[in-house]
Amino acid sequence: MGIKVAKFGGTSVADALQIKKIKDIIHGDKEIRYVVVSAPGKRYDDDSKITDLLYLCKTHIEHKIPYEQIFQVICDRFMAVEQELGVDVDIKGELEEIRKQIEDGATVDYIASRGEYLNAKIIAAYLGYDFVDAGVMIKFTNRGKLREYLTNDLIASTLEKHEHAVIPGFYGERIDGGIKTFSRGGSDITGALVAKAVNATVYENWTDVSGFLMADPRIVKNPKQIETISYMELRELSYMGASVLHEEAIFPAEAARIPINIRNTNRPEDRGTMITAKPSISDDHIISGIAGRKNFTVIALYKNHLANEKGFIRRLAGIIEDYDMTIEHIPTGIDTMSVVLDNRVLNGKLEDLVEEIENQLRPDRLDVVEDMALIATVGAGMAERKGTSAKLFAALADAGVNIRMIDQGSSEMNIIVGVENKDFDTSIKAIYEAFVE
Ligand code: ASP
């Protein structure tokens, strides 16, 4: 019998009611042996996530504002779950210990990680499974880099001794013993690392949607569900904004070729989206999905004989690197070159950067286009099919959208267009209609 690893996200473990649902899921499938859990998430739209409240405690402490009221909200939620599930894991004592650590100046990572820690304790008791702390298996260097090989070995050797276990997501330990968290949403990574180390047949990632949709439902009405998608396609879509799974969670699963199945805790009968190594290509499956993000800036440089000038790209990239910024794209022409930067990395430094580029590279002309959106149309089937880009550009032209930039990834499974922010929704709808409907 194969081993399955199931990770349950914040909304799937938000309260006692949800935890009862996950018990049915877990006990209904004998192959699920290891369970990774998030901290309790939102129970309703304007509820707070426990992790957000924990971060809020730390900010209050830093600003010397009383944090006790927020901490009490956290305590109340955990104590209610413990009581409603009828387990006794001394949550009160655990919370007292956390409060003590906070008073003694605990780090932000320690505080943020406690939501997963406490939730895993309660859920382990409720399922009758062992609690195995992530700190003993997931290791980071003291500078915060994941020690992949050590982690893999430690997970394998630790879990070997447990028939069933619940593991808190989101964090591990540095070599010096301090807690280190992944970036937000990082329990997905924990799940993938566990799946890889125990050589799972599948990594089930349970959330509150039945998988990935082909486009954002806030823009396209009732978009189709993605049944199967390859790791690479998904990576392109996630990078461009489709968020269900943490983008870093794909790597461990891909390395071990473990399929990831996105499932819905509230609709366990749905099959969800299967993410595998092999893309699904067929006549009626040219694109897998459309995703995009707003708020990019393009800096376009024009210079005669630029094509013959050695080291131009290197110098341009060097200036941007000196500003500690990452580049999204570098579309080039004969005498033109542009860089596309995310406004978040520009972080108010656009004017300084432009001045530096002008001083060092002396372009004949430099234009800045702000408020650009990038839209990626992703599909492994595109490479083998003529006319995909023609269809895409025609759809945008028919919708009255002016395309400001085009970039096709070298994988040929992705066409990225740059449009003005105001044309973002119209463009996504037009592309979806052309390819899917
Ligand atoms: N609880 C953490 C967060 O809210 C990690 C996770 O849920 O994956 O980001």
Side-chain angles (χ1 to χ4, degrees):
M1 197 166 62
I3 300 177
K4 284 186 187 169
V5 171
K7 179 257 164 180
F8 292 88
T11 52
S12 302
V13 287
D15 56 16
L17 187 79
Q18 290 300 89
I19 296 174
K20 287 180 184 163
K21 288 187 195 167
I22 79 159
K23 183 179 188 175
D24 291 341
I25 293 169
I26 296 164
H27 286 173
D29 184 345
K30 295 253 166 319
E31 290 184 32
I32 300 181
R33 286 184 40 201
Y34 303 114
V35 175
V36 173
V37 295
S38 282
K42 292 185 177 191
R43 293 160 294 181
Y44 40 86
D45 273 355
D46 48 9
D47 193 18
S48 302
K49 296 171 78 168
I50 290 288
T51 311
D52 289 335
L53 295 175
L54 288 163
Y55 278 117
L56 206 57
C57 283
K58 182 66 180 171
T59 342
H60 274 64
I61 296 159
E62 278 165 1
H63 291 89
K64 303 197 169 43
I65 304 169
Y67 70 94
E68 284 79 8
Q69 238 180 337
I70 307 166
F71 193 71
Q72 196 54 49
V73 175
I74 299 171
C75 296
D76 292 347
R77 264 183 82 173
F78 277 113
M79 298 207 342
V81 176
E82 185 190 37
Q83 201 202 352
E84 281 167 45
L85 293 179
V87 293
D88 181 5
V89 285
D90 189 20
I91 281 296
K92 201 156 175 246
E94 295 279 1
L95 287 161
E96 264 326 302
E97 172 62 23
I98 295 168
R99 193 197 299 271
K100 202 169 133 276
Q101 295 288 341
I102 294 179
E103 297 288 336
D104 289 349
T107 63
V108 62
D109 282 23
Y110 167 83
I111 299 175
S113 72
R114 293 304 90 183
E116 272 71 12
Y117 170 83
L118 295 172
N119 221 16
K121 283 238 144 167
I122 295 177
I123 294 171
Y126 182 59
L127 293 174
Y129 287 6
D130 300 337
F131 165 84
V132 178
D133 199 357
V136 300
M137 305 188 287
I138 297 185
K139 296 289 179 186
F140 293 88
T141 64
N142 286 340
R143 297 176 121 191
K145 196 174 168 309
L146 180 70
R147 294 193 56 184
E148 284 175 48
Y149 293 105
L150 178 63
T151 295
N152 197 65
D153 290 350
L154 287 173
I155 297 175
S157 59
T158 309
L159 292 184
E160 214 180 52
K161 300 182 207 107
H162 300 270
E163 187 62 22
H164 293 102
V166 177
I167 303 140
F170 191 38
Y171 70 94
E173 241 174 57
R174 290 192 313 249
I175 299 302
D176 65 13
I179 295 280
K180 165 88 184 96
T181 60
F182 290 109
S183 56
R184 296 299 306 266
S187 300
D188 287 342
I189 309 175
T190 311
L193 293 171
V194 173
K196 176 168 184 251
V198 302
N199 201 10
T201 49
V202 56
Y203 168 30
E204 290 184 345
N205 192 292
W206 292 81
T207 170
D208 53 5
V209 289
S210 297
F212 279 87
L213 298 171
M214 290 189 75
D216 187 336
R218 287 167 299 188
I219 300 173
V220 172
K221 229 172 118 199
N222 293 326
K224 276 201 189 146
Q225 166 113 26
I226 302 178
E227 280 174 24
T228 322
I229 188 168
S230 65
Y231 302 117
M232 263 180 68
E233 290 170 294
L234 185 72
R235 178 120 175 83
E236 309 256 4
L237 283 178
S238 318
Y239 182 72
M240 286 304 290
S243 61
V244 171
L245 184 72
H246 194 298
E247 49 173 321
E248 293 292 323
I250 298 171
F251 298 110
E254 184 177 15
R257 295 201 150 228
I258 296 167
I260 308 173
N261 190 190
I262 308 290
R263 301 286 296 268
N264 187 346
T265 299
N266 304 318
R267 291 180 59 93
E269 63 282 9
D270 290 355
R271 283 164 53 207
T273 298
M274 201 52 132
I275 308 159
T276 62
K278 239 176 79 129
S280 118
I281 301 174
S282 66
D283 279 350
D284 56 355
H285 185 119
I286 303 166
I287 70 160
S288 294
I290 308 157
R293 282 195 344 237
K294 284 185 182 173
N295 301 326
F296 289 90
T297 295
V298 181
I299 303 175
L301 307 167
Y302 305 83
K303 192 169 186 181
N304 281 337
H305 310 298
L306 186 145
N308 300 329
E309 197 171 316
K310 285 194 186 126
F312 196 86
I313 299 191
R314 180 178 47 76
R315 282 189 290 150
L316 178 61
I319 298 169
I320 295 168
E321 191 183 338
D322 287 345
Y323 273 80
D324 202 20
M325 294 173 184
T326 47
I327 300 173
E328 293 292 324
H329 296 278
I330 311 189
T332 53
I334 301 296
D335 287 333
T336 65
M337 182 171 298
S338 311
V339 275
V340 183
L341 302 162
D342 189 326
N343 288 359
R344 288 176 302 193
V345 314
L346 273 170
N347 196 13
K349 296 205 201 89
L350 177 64
E351 277 184 39
D352 294 344
L353 178 67
V354 164
E355 205 176 295
E356 193 68 36
I357 293 175
E358 279 177 327
N359 285 344
Q360 286 200 36
L361 298 177
R362 308 229 158 263
D364 298 333
R365 210 177 102 199
L366 184 153
D367 291 336
V368 175
V369 187
E370 291 178 78
D371 302 325
M372 279 260 298
L374 297 183
I375 298 168
T377 306
V378 176
M382 287 187 331
E384 281 159 30
R385 188 172 294 265
K386 295 191 193 104
T388 312
S389 41
K391 193 165 167 179
L392 194 144
F393 301 144
L396 291 175
D398 289 346
V401 173
N402 183 11
I403 305 177
R404 304 292 301 258
M405 191 204 90
I406 300 167
D407 200 350
Q408 183 171 26
S410 39
S411 57
E412 277 191 71
M413 59 164 67
N414 194 358
I415 300 174
I416 294 177
V417 291
V419 301
E420 286 170 33
N421 271 348
K422 68 172 175 46
D423 290 331
F424 184 69
D425 288 13
T426 315
S427 305
I428 291 188
K429 274 190 211 136
I431 300 171
Y432 184 84
E433 271 159 31
F435 284 96
V436 189
E437 281 184 348

